[in-house]
Amino acid sequence: MRQTQHTAVAVVGGGPVGLLLALFLDRYGVPSVVFDAGERPYESPRGNTHNARTMEHYRRLGISTVVRGLGLPADHPADIAFFTRYAGTELARLNLASRSRRSRQTSVAPATDQIPEPVHRANQMYVERFLYEHARTRPNITLRLGRRVTALEQDATHAEVLAEPADGPAEKWTARYVVGCDGGRSLVRRALGVRYAGAGALDQDVLGRRATAAHLRLPTFYREVMTGRRAWSHWALTGDMVMNLISLNGEDEFFLLSSSIDPDTAEDGRIAAAVERAAGRRLPVEVLSRRPWTPGVALVAERFTVGRILLAGDAAHLFTPNGGFGMNTGVDDAANLAWKLAGVLAGWGGRNLLASYEAERLPVAVRNTTAARELNAGLGSVERPPELEEDSPLGAETRARVGGQLRCYGERTHSLGVQLGARYDESPIVVPDGSPPADSWGTYTPSSVPGGRTPHLWLDTWHGAGSSLFDRLGQGFTLLRLSGAAPDVKPLQAAAQAHGMPLSVLDVEVDTARDLYERDLVLVRPDQHVAWRGNHLPEDPDGLVARVTGSEEAR
């Protein structure tokens, strides 16, 4: 065994959540080591949706433009389309803007537009490759690939990690904190004795039970089967078959998801035959990879924190894929946790700061997994009667009815409230003001009520880099002054300086800002959530600083 090495934070798991946690820590100047059993990123498709909040996090890290260039071509439709069979009748279509159209819409959006970074469709395998390469360039990140973490221990001052490569001596590391981002079969979670709670797979034919996922090459699918009917997500629904083919590169590569293919017998020939059956015609099918998976689950770890070891991403919660909430909830975990680790390691974060991670993120995980499962169940309730493909008046009537059900389901998958509406109203580091929060996983209502995401504003007409309010927030806390008559804030600045809390002040002079925020002063946390608001400073600025940094004595 090599000599013990040291780091501030050990990240177990080098998927997108682990890499983004390391990148956020790097932004705060915190060293981390990322361990992963794989020698390189996954080469098979996984998640496809980077939601509006995740894209905002990418923007903070300075990588949103690069990520937005990955995946589908700029002018490829982002539609979700439903068919009987792919060569058959189109039942319903959600017309969603392509990347280039979204960019044009954002450039002319009003000042109070809440989506500065629209949802982006790019498979996780493409983004993960970029994140690996980007992480290699960052000064505070050490990647230890091809090393499986096999043991964890902790005491009051540090944690120890044993990482074993395929060949060569094991490595022993000590860290102030360890974060398990190592997926649904997390060794870290199992080592802590933490179990999942919640609901398992749905007992339904449509994305229920055990299912099959596959990476396919379909060279003639667009040219000969879907002529003039391209989409991002292509569903085939018949009485005996449900399949979703998600376009990966806009040309010939697709991600197949189907509970109509038994994963225990899903040989390449069976998958190819199923695709032909869903298409309603012969076509060449090359299976590049395949794996089993279990949709419909809604599982959340009973604890996110045990001593100096924390859980994030799939190690903390498992989702059905409906809505694309899983990876995105994990990215939000990383954004929430990184600044708290940085604050504790820098000395200005109190003992309640890390405790607030579980207090804030566990309820959000329950909320989001529940929403995803409801969406999954909604898809399962869509009719697929035998007459769906009949060439008859009854068949036409059935297709119209089922198409309406599918449109209703598709509209619910937008779920902007899940994307932007996470709230931490019961958090020990948020100062409530008695205002009722708005919370709906289907819709998002911007509000500066403490606990929620800071409402967005465009500060100029360019709408480019530096134009967003989010671009001008400080790396630590930011106090927004939203009225020309806003009071002097030097007492709070002095209190923050005395405590070591990083604080910047930003005067917002957009005409609509005060109406949107409803207060003269708003204190924004490093993760862009509102910590406190008021029309004047509290009488005890030191108490406010102690509260939001987790240093307040327990009551």
Side-chain angles (χ1 to χ4, degrees):
M1 184 179 295
R2 298 176 182 173
Q3 183 177 2
T4 300
Q5 301 177 76
H6 307 275
T7 186
V9 179
V11 180
V12 182
V17 174
L19 290 170
L20 284 162
L21 175 61
L23 288 167
F24 273 116
L25 290 170
D26 169 72
R27 184 172 183 263
Y28 299 123
V30 176
S32 67
V33 176
V34 180
F35 300 94
D36 196 89
E39 295 281 355
R40 59 186 62 85
Y42 283 115
E43 296 295 330
S44 58
R46 293 181 184 266
N48 293 277
T49 299
H50 304 260
N51 73 22
R53 186 65 178 139
T54 292
M55 293 304 300
E56 289 175 358
H57 292 317
Y58 292 161
R59 186 181 184 117
R60 279 206 291 154
L61 292 169
I63 60 175
S64 62
T65 300
V66 176
V67 170
R68 205 169 283 285
L70 302 174
L72 297 177
D75 59 351
H76 192 283
D79 301 352
I80 301 173
F82 301 89
F83 305 86
T84 51
R85 299 181 194 272
Y86 294 124
T89 303
E90 183 172 307
L91 297 169
R93 178 179 291 257
L94 273 75
N95 294 300
L96 303 175
S98 66
R99 173 158 52 96
S100 59
R101 185 180 170 195
R102 286 184 187 275
S103 178
R104 292 192 296 271
Q105 291 171 341
T106 300
S107 69
V108 296
T112 55
D113 177 55
Q114 291 304 304
I115 311 178
E117 291 285 353
V119 63
H120 178 57
R121 311 293 190 182
N123 197 268
Q124 185 176 317
M125 66 178 180
Y126 301 139
V127 177
E128 202 168 318
R129 289 174 199 164
F130 162 69
L131 293 176
Y132 264 99
E133 294 306 315
H134 183 55
R136 290 181 188 277
T137 69
R138 303 309 305 160
N140 294 303
I141 300 176
T142 300
L143 297 179
R144 305 301 287 169
L145 305 184
R147 289 159 177 83
R148 184 181 302 276
V149 172
T150 58
L152 287 169
E153 294 183 3
Q154 65 173 316
D155 59 25
T157 61
H158 69 282
E160 294 183 354
V161 174
L162 188 67
E164 298 185 8
D167 299 305
E171 299 178 3
K172 185 176 181 180
W173 289 76
T174 65
R176 293 282 301 280
Y177 296 95
V178 174
V179 185
C181 303
D182 50 339
R185 299 180 179 178
S186 170
L187 176 140
V188 176
R189 190 188 68 254
R190 288 184 280 116
L192 295 174
V194 174
R195 298 178 299 174
Y196 281 135
L202 289 164
D203 185 18
Q204 63 183 46
D205 291 336
V206 184
L207 294 192
R209 307 187 185 101
R210 296 181 70 237
T212 296
H215 184 188
L216 308 179
R217 179 170 287 116
L218 307 176
T220 67
F221 184 71
Y222 276 146
R223 185 172 67 249
E224 298 180 0
V225 180
M226 303 297 293
T227 305
R229 299 190 296 172
R230 292 186 179 217
W232 162 67
S233 174
H234 313 75
W235 286 89
L237 296 97
T238 68
D240 64 345
M241 163 71 66
V242 177
M243 181 179 292
N244 188 12
L245 289 176
I246 296 171
S247 182
L248 297 176
N249 62 357
E251 297 177 7
D252 61 347
E253 289 190 36
F254 294 84
F255 183 26
L256 174 148
L257 298 173
S258 179
S259 52
S260 301
I261 304 173
D262 184 350
D264 294 326
T265 60
E267 300 174 349
D268 289 3
R270 288 180 180 269
I271 292 175
V275 172
E276 289 187 339
R277 193 163 77 252
R281 56 167 295 167
R282 298 292 300 273
L283 75 163
V285 178
E286 181 182 358
V287 180
L288 303 176
S289 66
R290 50 186 162 83
R291 59 183 171 86
W293 64 295
T294 304
V297 298
L299 301 175
V300 178
E302 295 174 320
R303 298 286 310 276
F304 283 17
T305 304
V306 178
R308 292 180 169 270
I309 303 177
L310 307 100
L311 302 173
D314 285 356
H317 38 69
L318 276 181
F319 285 74
T320 181
N322 292 70
F325 301 158
M327 185 203 72
N328 294 288
T329 301
V331 172
D332 222 17
D333 292 342
N336 182 288
L337 178 57
W339 74 270
K340 296 173 181 179
L341 286 168
V344 171
L345 290 166
W348 56 261
R351 63 182 182 179
N352 293 333
L353 191 58
L354 276 183
S356 74
Y357 171 66
E358 179 178 306
E360 292 182 351
R361 294 305 299 168
L362 196 155
V364 170
V366 171
R367 171 184 185 264
N368 290 2
T369 54
T370 300
R373 187 176 170 86
E374 287 183 14
L375 283 173
N376 203 120
L379 179 60
S381 68
V382 173
E383 296 178 73
R384 291 183 294 128
E387 58 270 20
L388 191 62
E389 296 184 89
E390 274 188 15
D391 184 13
S392 67
L394 177 59
E397 179 184 333
T398 301
R399 288 188 290 275
R401 184 176 69 252
V402 172
Q405 295 171 5
L406 289 167
R407 276 188 292 275
C408 181
Y409 159 77
E411 289 293 342
R412 295 187 74 206
T413 64
H414 293 323
S415 308
L416 195 60
V418 171
Q419 297 182 48
L420 302 179
R423 296 200 55 84
Y424 308 139
D425 298 305
E426 304 301 320
S427 172
I429 62 169
V430 168
V431 184
D433 67 358
S435 302
D439 185 19
S440 165
W441 65 262
T443 59
Y444 170 69
T445 302
S447 169
S448 70
V449 173
R453 165 189 177 267
T454 299
H456 178 258
L457 281 168
W458 289 111
L459 302 182
D460 58 39
T461 58
W462 180 47
H463 293 193
S467 298
S468 168
L469 171 72
F470 293 168
D471 297 338
R472 303 189 194 182
L473 296 176
Q475 191 163 288
F477 286 80
T478 304
L479 183 64
L480 303 181
R481 293 197 293 197
L482 297 135
S483 169
D488 178 43
V489 297
K490 289 181 181 177
L492 182 60
Q493 291 175 299
Q497 183 177 12
H499 190 83
M501 182 187 93
L503 175 68
S504 57
V505 178
L506 178 63
D507 290 311
V508 182
E509 299 177 351
V510 176
D511 291 341
T512 54
R514 180 58 176 76
D515 290 339
L516 179 63
Y517 277 82
E518 300 180 318
R519 298 293 188 276
D520 291 343
L521 298 171
V522 175
L523 183 62
V524 181
R525 308 184 332 178
D527 61 356
Q528 300 175 339
H529 278 251
V530 175
W532 167 90
R533 68 176 183 172
N535 289 325
H536 50 77
L537 290 181
E539 294 181 0
D540 181 14
D542 294 298
L544 174 57
V545 169
R547 176 71 175 264
V548 301
T549 60
S551 306
E552 184 179 59
E553 291 297 325
R555 296 179 179 178

